Amino acid sequence: MDLISPFATYSPGLLLACAIIMALGGVIKGAVGFALPMIAVAGVGSLLSAQETVALIVLPVFLSNLWQTFRQGLAPAIATGRRFWRLNLIMGVLIAIVAQAVPLVSSEALFLVLGILVSTAAGVQLAGWRPRAPDGALARQRLEILTGIVAGICGGLAGVWGPPVLFFLIALGTEKTAQVRAQGMAFLVGSVMLIAAHLGSGLLDATILSASALMCAPVLLGMALGVRLQDRMNPERFRRITLVILCLAGLNLLRRALF
């Protein structure tokens, strides 16, 4: 992989700004287990096109999710994969299919839909509403399938499939450590499918793939700091910080779409 070619396409200042944004995303992801793609899409998306932004984040997102999934070891990760296999299977397949349409979708429409969904869902929860999963195994399976569909469509189009997964896990009342691990598993599956899909769609050319590799170091350094913060947070503070970040990310996506 040629790590010099990105500097021939993008200015050093632009790459540095992207690295700072990605490092911030790594800190937040380490602390609450998500939001790296949303912060990257919102921040880097103000500097690059939506298509370039989606391509730029694929490698650091993959590595950060790999770390998050297996942080507690192999056995807990396997147990999480078995528990949420429907969600991950449906989401992964849809990401691979829907991602082929990325070059055909306008940046403004993409950001507008995501911004409305994310900011509305997070805002009503901050106002006091708590999502609750329905009683009964069959009803929960249906909710898991629906979550997989929504997450797959959002992930394929914009590389952001975290909010539906997160709201589903909150509705289940998942314990903090288990929630972060489940998020990591879902995000890992999605990032693998996204890389494969965009290698096929042509969005990941040699230059943007090299630029994506350059973003891995700042993300992992930021995530290392964020993980230390996560271990010190109580569950309620963890939940509220998660929702605040979701709401801010959604509002920024709306700003990007409208202005």
Side-chain angles (χ1 to χ4, degrees):
M1 184 176 294
D2 180 13
L3 297 181
I4 303 299
S5 60
F7 291 96
T9 304
Y10 306 106
S11 69
L14 177 62
L15 290 173
L16 177 60
C18 291
I20 292 172
I21 294 168
M22 297 296 283
L24 174 61
V27 173
I28 302 302
K29 181 173 178 62
V32 298
F34 78 105
L36 173 58
M38 286 183 296
I39 290 173
V41 168
V44 178
S46 65
L47 305 174
L48 302 173
S49 71
Q51 289 77 14
E52 286 177 304
T53 301
V54 170
L56 188 72
I57 70 176
V58 292
L59 291 183
V61 165
F62 168 74
L63 290 179
S64 63
N65 289 329
L66 191 67
W67 179 0
Q68 183 175 330
T69 300
F70 293 98
R71 186 184 171 214
Q72 284 85 33
L74 182 60
I78 291 175
T80 298
R82 288 174 176 170
R83 182 181 179 188
F84 298 110
W85 69 268
R86 292 180 187 85
L87 168 66
N88 292 324
L89 176 63
I90 294 170
M91 180 190 67
V93 170
L94 280 177
I95 284 177
I97 295 172
V98 175
Q100 304 306 313
V102 167
L104 307 177
V105 179
S106 71
S107 302
E108 290 76 14
L110 203 61
F111 290 137
L112 181 63
V113 172
L114 284 172
I116 292 173
L117 290 175
V118 173
S119 57
T120 301
V124 295
Q125 289 187 61
L126 281 172
W129 176 73
R130 295 288 294 269
R132 300 293 182 190
D135 295 328
L138 182 59
R140 292 193 175 203
Q141 287 176 11
R142 289 172 178 168
L143 179 61
E144 184 176 359
I145 290 170
L146 177 61
T147 302
I149 292 172
V150 174
I153 293 172
C154 292
L157 288 177
V160 178
W161 56 94
V165 173
L166 182 61
F167 293 138
F168 171 66
L169 294 172
I170 291 175
L172 292 179
T174 313
E175 183 270 332
K176 182 181 76 169
T177 302
Q179 176 181 316
V180 171
R181 186 170 59 249
Q183 291 167 201
M185 176 70 72
F187 300 161
L188 179 62
V189 170
S191 59
V192 169
M193 299 306 293
L194 199 62
I195 290 173
H198 288 321
L199 285 172
S201 71
L203 195 63
L204 285 176
D205 59 26
T207 298
I208 199 68
L209 197 59
S210 298
S212 183
L214 288 174
M215 297 298 112
C216 291
V219 166
L220 295 179
L221 288 173
M223 192 171 174
L225 174 60
V227 164
R228 298 185 66 180
L229 298 175
Q230 178 203 131
D231 291 338
R232 300 177 183 179
M233 280 191 286
N234 63 52
E236 182 57 27
R237 179 177 295 178
F238 172 81
R239 188 187 75 85
R240 291 195 65 81
I241 290 176
T242 296
L243 293 173
V244 168
I245 293 170
L246 270 172
C247 193
L248 292 175
L251 290 174
N252 197 45
L253 288 171
L254 284 175
R255 177 198 63 78
R256 173 73 172 126
L258 298 175
F259 303 106

